[in-house]
Amino acid sequence: MKFKTMLRHLREGIKNIGRSGWMSFASISAVTVMLFIVGFFLIVFVNGNHIASAIENNVEIRAFIERGTGEEEVQELLDEVRALPEVEEVIFIDKEEGLESLIASTGEVYESIREENPLPDALRVTAASPQETEAVAQKVNHHDYVSNVSYGADVLPDLFKLTNTSRIVGLVVILGLLLTAMFLISNTIKLTIVARKKEIQIMKLVGATNGFVRSPFLVEGALLGTFGSIGPILILSFGYQYVYSNSGDFLQSSLYSLLEPGQLIVQVSLLLLAVGLIVGIWGSAMSVRKFLNV
């Protein structure tokens, strides 16, 4: 396609938006609203998945060592647990460190037992995959130098079930919103094309090729989709930055922290721009096609 022809199609596409007036405004509004909804739920889903992963990765095993176990036996236990392929990290916690941690987390409730520390030495074991926690706990518990293990056996299955269900539901919602957005946006853009079917038919009757007729409308659809994506991108970018900066100590704790705006906003913005552009072109292409056979 010649450069002059491309410029002609671009000019016509821009003019078509102006000629359509309220129909173009309706198309851009439809794109804006639907992409905002998609972007909002996408940000919620990504952050929810991030928090769910953080909760899963925070699951650990506490293996309590038998009292009277010597240093050589403890080292043997450490080496054997570290050698397990399902284990990512093993940290030895002596009873003094364990008591200090307990007092720090509960206040002065256990201050009275500092002189006669009843706690045993322990290992803090982290599985390579959260789903392997139970299997690792059972292997460690069978060791001769381990008295018992603690890993939240009662709540762990429900926790993994909840996080997996939330991921599946979130993904289904996002896909459903994307499909709904594509349907509504494309149909709104179709209305702007249908309103000018006579113009298309006249161009065909005077000998214009399908490509020549179609191109300005594809440009128009691309512009409508692009213009409609700008609003959601700006609102979600500034809105998320504001929420992230003012979310308080709870959401910025190590476990429940939100994703930093930088990369997330760039990825969501590019996705919304791509969806707006693709749906705009697709809606225009589908609408023009039915009028090309004169």
Side-chain angles (χ1 to χ4, degrees), residues 34 38 169-182:
M34 291 307 303
V38 171
V169 171
L171 187 59
V172 170
V173 170
I174 293 298
L175 291 176
L177 285 171
L178 279 173
L179 291 175
T180 303
M182 292 179 68

Side-chain angles (χ1 to χ4, degrees), residues 21-39 177-192 221 223-233 235 272 275-277 279-280 283:
W22 285 105
M23 291 301 299
S24 295
F25 176 77
S27 297
I28 293 174
S29 299
V31 175
T32 299
V33 172
M34 291 307 303
L35 290 186
F36 174 79
I37 295 173
V38 171
L177 285 171
L178 279 173
L179 291 175
T180 303
M182 292 179 68
F183 175 78
L184 291 178
I185 293 170
S186 63
N187 276 285
T188 306
I189 292 175
K190 284 179 183 179
L191 294 176
T192 67
L223 292 175
L224 291 174
T226 301
F227 292 156
S229 65
I230 293 174
I233 290 173
I235 294 172
L272 295 182
V275 171
L277 183 65
V279 171

Side-chain angles (χ1 to χ4, degrees), residues 242-267:
Y242 177 81
V243 171
Y244 181 84
S245 302
N246 297 275
S247 55
D249 296 335
F250 174 73
L251 287 179
Q252 294 308 322
S253 67
S254 59
L255 185 58
Y256 299 105
S257 61
L258 296 175
L259 289 167
E260 292 186 2
Q263 186 175 4
L264 175 62
I265 291 301
V266 170
Q267 292 174 343

Side-chain angles (χ1 to χ4, degrees), residues 2 7 26 31 35 37 69 83 113 144 153 158 183 200 235 253 287:
K2 294 182 179 180
L7 284 179
V31 175
L35 290 186
I37 295 173
T69 302
I113 65 173
D144 293 337
D158 291 334
F183 175 78
I200 297 172
I235 294 172
S253 67
S287 303

